[in-house]
Amino acid sequence: MSALALQAHPEPLPSYQPSGQEIPLFEAAYRHGLPVLLKGPTGCGKTRFVEHMAARLRRPLVTVSCHDDLSATDLLGRHLIGQDGTYWVDGPLAHAVRTGSICYLDEVVEARKDTTVILHALTDDRRMLPIERTGECLIAPPEFMLVVSYNPGYQQLLKGLKPSTRQRFVSLSFDFPEARREACIVETEAGIDAATARRLVSLAKALRASAEYDLEEAPGTRLLVSAGRLMAAGIAPREACRVGMLECLSDDPGVISALGDIVDAVFEA
């Protein structure tokens, strides 16, 4: 059987509820050696989707959370000094290529610019990763797949993917789930009753629709799950929502207090 054949996974997959055709599209990209770009707001399920697909495809997953100081060297690897002299240690990207894993670069636009340059030869028909410091040129096996993600809401002139980079990827757009599906996700993930899950989703909908409080980001499904888990542990709704959601959305005490009034309105209705 081909290494790329999609087989039934013998163990439970990480839970994920599709909103469209993202699963067959991802599988098709995997079969044909195409890298994938996931676009969407924080907390909408991008990382969970990648975890689900890696398990579904039965491939190891190497995840890198990108940040301002992440360099190409961090991804490729470096020489270290030991008792017997220097030796090479692969970075996560090189390791993923060698082992035929799925490599997921989360929030790739947060990384330094030199990181995207090293992806170019890996994301076209060459599918190779040059490592200048060792003189190697790794050829990606068919099982290897590169997945990157970013939040377009944070995209700025100095923090965006160049068109020459974006056009190398199959792009899948994600958004917050529709209300019924999001309530089902929150109920399952948080272990709460359906009515409480629906109220949390109603709260999130109200906050996402309001421009009054100038929030940097709308509450994602991840925050609803966090608040729900606290409620399942016996924490009162207002307190669970305050520490699980509101404090994560703003540092302004006045804004947090005003958002708390919305929480009261939703849970006392």
Side-chain angles (χ1 to χ4, degrees), residues 67-68 109-111 113 150-152 154-161:
H67 52 81
D68 290 342
V109 295
E110 297 295 330
K113 291 299 181 182
Y150 78 103
N151 180 356
Y154 274 165
Q155 188 177 14
Q156 301 173 1
L157 181 61
L158 299 178
K159 275 197 173 183
L161 288 178

Coordinates of all heavy atoms in Angstrom, one line a residue, residues 67-68 109-111 113 150-152 154-161:
H67 N 7.5 33.3 16.6 CA 7.6 34.5 17.4 C 8.7 35.4 16.8 O 9.3 35.1 15.8 CB 8.0 34.2 18.9 CG 9.2 33.4 19.0 ND1 10.5 33.9 19.0 CD2 9.3 32.0 19.2 CE1 11.3 32.9 19.1 NE2 10.6 31.7 19.3
D68 N 8.8 36.7 17.4 CA 9.6 37.7 16.8 C 11.1 37.3 16.7 O 11.8 37.7 15.8 CB 9.6 39.0 17.6 CG 8.2 39.7 17.5 OD1 7.5 39.3 16.5 OD2 7.9 40.5 18.3
V109 N 3.7 34.6 10.3 CA 4.1 36.0 10.0 C 4.8 36.6 11.2 O 5.4 37.7 11.1 CB 2.9 36.9 9.6 CG1 2.3 36.4 8.3 CG2 1.8 36.9 10.7
E110 N 4.7 36.0 12.4 CA 5.4 36.5 13.6 C 6.9 36.3 13.6 O 7.6 36.9 14.3 CB 4.8 35.9 14.9 CG 3.3 36.2 15.1 CD 3.1 37.7 15.3 OE1 3.9 38.4 15.9 OE2 2.0 38.2 15.0
A111 N 7.3 35.3 12.8 CA 8.7 35.0 12.7 C 9.5 36.0 11.9 O 9.0 36.8 11.2 CB 8.9 33.6 12.1
K113 N 11.9 37.6 9.0 CA 11.7 37.5 7.6 C 12.6 36.4 6.9 O 12.2 35.8 5.9 CB 12.0 38.8 6.9 CG 11.0 39.9 7.2 CD 9.7 39.6 6.7 CE 8.7 40.7 7.0 NZ 7.3 40.3 6.6
Y150 N -1.8 31.9 9.9 CA -1.6 33.3 10.4 C -3.0 33.9 10.6 O -4.0 33.3 10.0 CB -0.7 34.1 9.5 CG -1.3 34.7 8.3 CD1 -1.7 36.0 8.2 CD2 -1.4 33.8 7.1 CE1 -2.3 36.5 7.0 CE2 -1.9 34.3 5.9 CZ -2.4 35.6 5.9 OH -2.9 36.1 4.7
N151 N -3.1 35.0 11.3 CA -4.3 35.7 11.6 C -4.4 36.9 10.7 O -3.6 37.9 11.0 CB -4.4 36.0 13.1 CG -5.7 36.8 13.4 OD1 -6.5 37.1 12.6 ND2 -5.8 37.0 14.7
P152 N -5.2 37.0 9.7 CA -5.2 38.2 8.8 C -5.6 39.4 9.5 O -5.2 40.5 9.1 CB -6.3 37.8 7.7 CG -6.4 36.3 7.8 CD -6.1 35.9 9.2
Y154 N -4.4 40.5 12.2 CA -3.1 41.1 12.7 C -2.2 41.5 11.6 O -1.1 42.1 11.9 CB -2.4 40.1 13.6 CG -2.9 40.1 15.1 CD1 -2.6 39.1 15.9 CD2 -3.7 41.2 15.5 CE1 -3.0 39.1 17.3 CE2 -4.1 41.2 16.8 CZ -3.8 40.2 17.7 OH -4.2 40.2 19.0
Q155 N -2.5 41.2 10.4 CA -1.6 41.4 9.3 C -1.4 42.9 9.1 O -2.3 43.7 9.0 CB -2.1 40.8 8.0 CG -1.1 40.8 6.8 CD -1.6 40.2 5.6 OE1 -2.8 39.9 5.5 NE2 -0.8 39.9 4.6
Q156 N -0.1 43.3 9.1 CA 0.3 44.7 8.9 C 1.3 44.7 7.7 O 1.7 43.7 7.2 CB 0.9 45.2 10.1 CG 0.0 45.2 11.3 CD 0.7 45.6 12.6 OE1 1.8 45.9 12.6 NE2 0.0 45.5 13.7
L157 N 1.6 45.9 7.3 CA 2.5 46.1 6.2 C 3.9 45.4 6.4 O 4.4 44.8 5.5 CB 2.8 47.6 6.0 CG 3.7 48.0 4.8 CD1 3.1 47.4 3.5 CD2 4.0 49.5 4.7
L158 N 4.3 45.4 7.7 CA 5.6 44.8 8.0 C 5.5 43.4 8.5 O 6.5 42.8 8.8 CB 6.4 45.7 9.0 CG 6.7 47.1 8.6 CD1 7.4 47.9 9.7 CD2 7.6 47.1 7.3
K159 N 4.2 42.9 8.7 CA 4.0 41.6 9.2 C 3.0 40.9 8.3 O 1.9 40.5 8.8 CB 3.5 41.6 10.6 CG 4.7 41.7 11.6 CD 4.2 41.3 13.0 CE 5.4 41.3 14.0 NZ 5.0 40.8 15.3
G160 N 3.3 40.6 7.1 CA 2.4 39.9 6.2 C 3.3 39.0 5.3 O 4.5 39.2 5.2
L161 N 2.6 38.0 4.7 CA 3.3 37.2 3.8 C 3.4 37.8 2.4 O 2.3 38.4 1.9 CB 2.6 35.8 3.6 CG 2.7 34.9 4.8 CD1 1.9 33.6 4.6 CD2 4.1 34.5 5.1

